Amino acid sequence: MADLKKLYDAVLNGDAKTAVAITKEAIDEKVDPVELISGTMIPAMDEVGKLFEEEEYFVPELLLSARAMKGAMELLRPLLSERGAKPVGTVAIGTVKWDLHDIGKNLVASLLEGGGFEVVDLGANVPPEKFIETIREKGAQIVCLSALLTVTMPSMKTTIEALKQAGLRDKVKVLVGGAPVTQQFADDIGADGYGESATHAVALARKMCGVN
Ligand code: B12
């Protein structure tokens, strides 16, 4: 059986080769990909975050762990999108301007695909104009904004303001998330919803499109 403790350690220690190998094993054994991500990989990244806070880890270690998680996610992503049924709606997702963190955003994007959405992933460091362009060109009904830095949280507000300026605010629902974001902050900036995790993001987005 795939050793999930070893997968946890591989993400924690930034060992991409082992993380990928165990993920492959787990896939062969039909382990639920969402369980693998939420039960093992996210807790490992949380621990990485704690070690960084305690100054036991520095940026190079963060990058290695992020790379291990990314390697495993590349294998899991196609499985997540297979889970979905017919498209429920279109989502434009991105990490806001000046913010380069994309692991959580990628997870949200993958699970949204798995939840039946067509997802336009704009990447990280996304300026408001790019969201506006995507809503106009792809007809996205939902905009998902991610931020991991307290200093980039205001970019969420700027993006919502830009949607208002462009006359698009009433046409889309805006969901926000990322470690420092709270429900209070979401309310303050006039977002339509806040989700603390990727699974919450999917539940919220489906609810907003009138699907359970
Ligand atoms: C990995 C990491 C990095 C990597 C990012 C790699 C990558 N490709 O993403 C690298 C090394 C590049 C990095 C850089 C920096 N980082 Co950094 N990083 C982290 C770390 C350890 C983990 C983040 C992560 O991926 N978590 C795992 C994912 C799965 O969780 P998540 O993103 O929160 O996402 C989940 C939910 O929040 C939610 N979610 C996310 N987005 C959305 C969106 C919506 C719409 C919804 C509904 C839900 C949702 O769903 C996700 C899954 O359930 C955190 C510490 C931490 N514990 O958060 C620090 C952290 C975020 N980084 C920090 C800092 C300071 C930096 C740097 C400034 C460091 C530096 N001195 O250069 C730079 C900034 C670069 C920039 N301009 O963005 C600080 C931020 C402090 C603050 N208060 O702002 C943290 C908190 C570490 C710390 N404790 O000091 N970082």
Side-chain angles (χ1 to χ4, degrees):
M1 237 182 75
D3 187 343
L4 299 188
K5 172 72 174 76
K6 238 173 140 183
L7 174 60
Y8 178 94
D9 289 341
V11 173
L12 184 61
N13 299 323
D15 177 356
K17 209 170 146 195
T18 307
V20 166
I22 299 176
T23 303
K24 268 188 194 143
E25 257 180 64
I27 291 171
D28 289 344
E29 290 165 12
K30 310 257 180 287
V31 176
D32 179 2
V34 174
E35 186 46 43
L36 211 59
I37 296 165
S38 317
T40 304
M41 284 155 53
I42 293 180
M45 280 311 290
D46 284 345
E47 184 59 25
V48 171
K50 275 193 208 123
L51 291 171
F52 186 67
E53 274 159 40
E54 290 161 8
E55 297 188 356
E56 289 214 19
Y57 269 20
F58 297 95
V59 172
E61 284 89 357
L62 291 192
L63 283 174
L64 287 174
S65 290
R67 200 179 60 173
M69 175 125 181
K70 201 172 172 202
M73 276 308 295
E74 270 162 23
L75 297 175
L76 293 169
R77 210 161 177 260
L79 301 179
L80 292 170
S81 36
E82 271 169 23
R83 293 158 64 102
K86 63 178 164 66
V88 215
T90 303
V91 179
I93 187 168
T95 306
V96 292
K97 196 165 179 187
W98 308 121
D99 198 323
L100 301 177
H101 295 83
D102 66 357
I103 298 171
K105 182 269 297 166
N106 292 345
L107 279 172
V108 175
S110 299
L111 292 203
L112 281 169
E113 275 177 14
F117 287 90
E118 190 180 327
V119 177
V120 186
D121 187 345
L122 301 171
N125 188 20
V126 183
E129 310 82 67
K130 192 81 198 155
F131 286 103
I132 290 170
E133 195 185 301
T134 311
I135 297 165
R136 290 199 171 124
E137 286 176 7
K138 309 274 181 186
Q141 301 96 339
I142 296 186
V143 173
C144 284
L145 306 177
S146 182
L148 262 288
L149 297 170
T150 44
V151 289
T152 58
M153 285 165 70
S155 294
M156 291 180 149
K157 185 168 190 235
T158 316
T159 306
I160 292 177
E161 293 298 328
L163 293 179
K164 278 186 199 155
Q165 292 280 322
L168 293 170
R169 184 63 190 94
D170 298 340
K171 297 190 170 59
V172 290
K173 298 284 184 196
V174 179
L175 302 186
V176 293
V181 180
T182 60
Q183 181 67 58
Q184 183 63 55
F185 179 76
D187 295 341
D188 290 348
I189 62 168
D192 298 296
Y194 156 75
E196 62 175 11
S197 71
T199 36
H200 279 111
V202 179
L204 262 174
R206 287 179 70 88
K207 198 169 146 201
M208 279 167 180
C209 286
V211 200
N212 283 316

